[in-house]
Amino acid sequence: MLMNFTPEIDRAQFAEKFGAKNLRGFSYALNEKIDLYTAGLGKLLSPRLDYRKLTIDAAENGTLRLKGGIEFNSRKLSKAMSRCVEAVCFIATIGDGIENEINRLTDQNRLSDAFINDTMGSLLVEGLVNQFHQEMQSRYRQEGRSTSLRFSPGYCDWSIEEQKKLFDLFDEDLLDVELSDTCLMSPRKSISGIFGISSNACSRWVSTYNPCRDCSKKNCSERRT
């Protein structure tokens, strides 16, 4: 499924990636470079997102079971999905154009420019997935249903190895993303993951449950609370 995606760079998120507390930490030269590279993004991006919606057979005892026999093992994922009736599995990418640009700049020893593009790529693929998630939220809200937070293999207690199971749900010949034996995706600026869809009765719990509140790892970069 191709998406209508408008690439936008959130300067506040960009500042955070650079370790700055706010936009005042940006130099004039850095802002100019961000403007320059943002203007050329249209030629570099090939956004695509594919998804499958599957019935949840069970979510208990640290295992999420989907229709067709596939199982994902994660206590936090299982709990987040425990009151959901369907799961949306997705694979998203912005293509390899920006990755090729990063490699070109690195070969020219323009490391700061390469890092700017690398950061932009990370924010853009996150933006693509966030847009999809929000669109699904809006769609199901009209039915009185909710979507859970999204999860990706390799985060929380969900093993990166389980990414192979997620990719098995898709026809690899139709995907624009490849998975290596070590579970790394190519193009690099790609994200895979899953989120749940509630029944009407459990709508509020599903939309508000956040496993980060039950986690003692306060310095996690992916913490959502």
Side-chain angles (χ1 to χ4, degrees):
M1 181 193 77
L2 292 171
M3 292 189 64
N4 293 320
F5 175 61
T6 303
E8 295 181 355
I9 299 296
D10 186 315
R11 297 297 173 107
Q13 289 183 330
F14 205 102
E16 186 178 332
K17 291 282 186 182
F18 268 69
K21 292 183 179 179
N22 51 55
L23 297 180
R24 284 179 231 168
F26 276 23
S27 67
Y28 177 78
L30 179 55
N31 268 305
E32 279 210 319
K33 283 189 175 183
I34 295 172
D35 289 338
L36 174 66
Y37 287 123
T38 300
L41 283 175
K43 298 180 292 184
L44 298 177
L45 302 184
S46 302
R48 181 184 175 96
L49 188 147
D50 294 272
Y51 75 93
R52 286 199 63 193
K53 190 170 66 171
L54 299 170
T55 300
I56 294 175
D57 286 338
E60 57 190 5
N61 301 321
T63 300
L64 172 66
R65 296 184 182 88
L66 304 181
K67 186 176 181 179
I70 191 163
E71 294 186 358
F72 294 124
N73 299 295
S74 160
R75 290 197 172 278
K76 291 182 179 179
L77 176 62
S78 173
K79 184 173 181 180
M81 299 286 194
S82 63
R83 301 187 193 183
C84 294
V85 293
E86 293 176 297
V88 176
C89 301
F90 65 86
I91 298 172
T93 186
I94 56 171
D96 59 7
I98 199 164
E99 188 172 337
N100 293 335
E101 178 68 3
I102 292 165
N103 292 336
R104 183 184 72 83
L105 293 167
T106 301
D107 290 342
Q108 294 177 359
N109 206 32
R110 295 166 60 185
L111 301 185
S112 62
D113 289 352
F115 184 67
I116 290 170
N117 276 269
D118 188 73
T119 303
M120 288 173 66
S122 297
L123 291 175
L124 287 167
V125 70
E126 282 285 341
L128 173 63
V129 174
N130 285 339
Q131 177 184 312
F132 169 65
H133 192 209
Q134 289 164 8
E135 288 176 357
M136 295 295 272
Q137 283 178 325
S138 297
R139 179 189 304 181
Y140 288 104
R141 190 178 298 122
Q142 295 174 16
E143 302 174 9
R145 305 167 72 188
S146 293
T147 59
S148 73
L149 289 176
R150 59 181 175 89
F151 292 77
S152 291
Y155 294 98
C156 292
D157 62 342
W158 194 12
S159 170
I160 188 68
E161 292 290 324
E162 301 248 293
Q163 191 148 240
K164 295 175 183 176
K165 298 180 184 178
L166 199 154
F167 267 71
D168 284 343
L169 294 171
F170 297 84
D171 185 339
E172 64 179 351
D173 293 331
L174 300 179
L175 281 177
D176 287 347
V177 182
E178 295 181 355
L179 189 67
S180 73
D181 292 338
T182 55
C183 294
L184 296 177
M185 288 182 285
S186 178
R188 266 192 322 120
K189 300 306 181 184
S190 303
I191 295 176
S192 67
I194 188 173
F195 56 86
I197 305 168
S198 75
S199 64
N200 297 61
C202 300
S203 179
R204 192 177 188 292
W205 187 92
V206 168
S207 64
T208 57
Y209 174 69
N210 187 338
C212 295
R213 297 193 188 102
D214 302 328
C215 182
S216 60
K217 191 176 179 181
K218 304 297 184 184
N219 62 343
C220 175
S221 61
E222 302 300 323
R223 192 171 180 83
R224 295 182 279 195
T225 184

